[in-house]
């Protein structure tokens, strides 16, 4: 066997190994989520990648997307991108019915920093902070951000609002990228 053939076979075996491993890891997770669906906040509701993810989640029935932003803008972006997001909850920080409660909670959480009601309201107009408060207040189970926000702007609200456990002083994040492979299949990086 020539070295090139050996390398090709090895590459194919490694691809299959990682593909099966990914299915095992995510398959178990998806099974648990289907048994007890969770609500996930997407802080960048008009981003096409977020709309695609929301559409897929709605079709899979294992996560309930909550999109943050102006409902008309989100619907328009969804239609332009060709994604069906019917069934997704859309929450607008500028018209949130429980904003007074959220402002009071944020002021309490940030009282050591002297946050006023006006500052809290201004802060909560940003999707990353608003979404984090939805998680903190139990309105959602998780948050996904970073499509347009930087990592720092995504993690900062979580550190300020949800915080780490007292025994933890290290924070980490990760990216899971799925791209089309040369074979036409999706490839997880």
């Amino acid at each position: 066997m020539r070295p090139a053939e050996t390398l090709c076979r090895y590459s194919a075996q490694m691809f299959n190994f990682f593909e099966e491993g990914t299915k095992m890891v995510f398959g178990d997770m998806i099974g648990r989520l289907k048994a007890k669906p969770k609500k996930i906040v997407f802080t960048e509701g008009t981003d096409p990648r977020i709309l695609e993810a929301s559409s897929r989640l709605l079709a899979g029935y294992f996560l309930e997307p909550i999109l943050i932003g102006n409902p008309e803008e989100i619907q328009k972006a969804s239609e332009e991108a060709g994604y069906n997001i019917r069934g997704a909850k859309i929450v607008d920080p500028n018209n949130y019915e429980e904003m007074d409660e959220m402002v009071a909670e944020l002021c309490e959480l940030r009282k050591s920093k002297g946050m006023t009601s006006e500052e809290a309201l201004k802060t909560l107009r940003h999707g990353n902070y608003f979404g984090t408060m939805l998680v903190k207040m139990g309105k959602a189970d998780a948050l996904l951000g970073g499509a347009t926000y930087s990592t720092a702007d995504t993690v900062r609200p979580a550190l300020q609002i949800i915080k780490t456990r007292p025994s933890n002083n290290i924070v980490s994040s990760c990216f899971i990228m799925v791209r089309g492979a040369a074979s036409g299949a999706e490839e997880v990086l």
Side-chain angles (χ1 to χ4, degrees):
M1 191 177 294
R2 295 181 315 202
E5 284 181 53
T6 304
L7 182 59
C8 286
R9 281 189 181 184
Y10 176 75
S11 295
Q13 288 172 342
M14 290 306 295
F15 178 78
N16 288 335
F17 172 78
F18 286 116
E19 184 177 36
E20 290 304 313
T22 301
K23 285 179 186 175
M24 286 179 5
V25 171
F26 289 111
D28 181 53
M29 186 186 313
I30 289 169
R32 289 186 306 219
L33 288 170
K34 282 183 176 180
K36 189 174 179 187
K38 302 289 184 189
K39 295 177 184 170
I40 185 167
V41 175
F42 290 96
T43 59
E44 299 134 316
T46 58
D47 186 277
R49 296 165 292 183
I50 298 303
L51 294 168
E52 179 183 7
S54 296
S55 177
R56 286 182 177 207
L57 292 173
L58 287 163
Y61 304 106
F62 59 91
L63 285 174
E64 300 172 24
I66 301 172
L67 301 170
I68 304 300
N70 177 287
E72 291 80 25
E73 291 175 12
I74 291 172
Q75 287 295 341
K76 181 180 177 194
S78 170
E79 289 169 15
E80 288 174 358
Y83 296 115
N84 178 1
I85 59 164
R86 271 184 245 112
K89 184 174 183 178
I90 300 174
V91 183
D92 187 349
N94 294 312
N95 295 307
Y96 186 58
E97 292 179 6
E98 299 176 47
M99 186 58 87
D100 291 341
E101 178 186 342
M102 191 178 275
V103 166
E105 177 79 15
L106 184 57
C107 285
E108 180 63 27
L109 291 168
R110 304 290 293 158
K111 69 182 175 187
S112 67
K113 300 294 182 185
M115 181 170 271
T116 66
S117 294
E118 293 79 22
E119 291 170 329
L121 183 59
K122 183 178 177 184
T123 298
L124 290 167
R125 297 290 185 220
H126 298 277
N128 53 348
Y129 278 90
F130 183 81
T132 302
M133 281 300 293
L134 289 175
V135 174
K136 177 67 175 175
M137 296 175 75
K139 309 284 184 190
D141 301 297
L143 178 142
L144 186 131
T148 59
Y149 286 114
S150 69
T151 300
D153 288 340
T154 301
V155 174
R156 185 179 303 108
L159 292 175
Q160 292 175 348
I161 295 169
I162 297 173
K163 304 183 182 349
T164 62
R165 289 186 180 139
S167 61
N168 292 353
N169 59 3
I170 296 175
V171 177
S172 180
S173 68
C174 72
F175 290 90
I176 300 174
M177 295 174 49
V178 178
R179 68 177 185 144
S183 66
E186 288 188 338
E187 177 177 41
V188 178
L189 302 176

